[in-house]
Amino acid sequence: MTIIFLLIFVSLLVALTFLGAFLWAVRNGQYDDAYTPSVRMLFDEEEQP
């Protein structure tokens, strides 16, 4: 029974580590799209009737 509590604790620790890494990456602009705005003018937009 002790091993189950240990595994739950370790899995929560790993999950919180990945959540922290994800939030750090978002705050530092890792997921900002710098490429699309520069090529958006190259695509024709469809005319709306």
Side-chain angles (χ1 to χ4, degrees):
M1 190 69 179
T2 306
I3 192 69
I4 292 175
F5 292 128
L6 179 66
L7 288 174
I8 290 173
F9 175 73
V10 170
S11 66
L12 286 175
L13 184 65
V14 169
L16 289 175
T17 302
F18 279 108
L19 179 64
F22 173 73
L23 292 176
W24 175 79
V26 168
R27 287 184 183 176
N28 285 331
Q30 183 71 28
Y31 294 108
D32 288 347
D33 187 12
Y35 177 71
T36 301
S38 64
V39 297
R40 187 175 294 149
M41 67 180 190
L42 300 176
F43 298 113
D44 290 334
E45 294 183 10
E46 294 182 16
E47 294 182 17
Q48 297 180 4

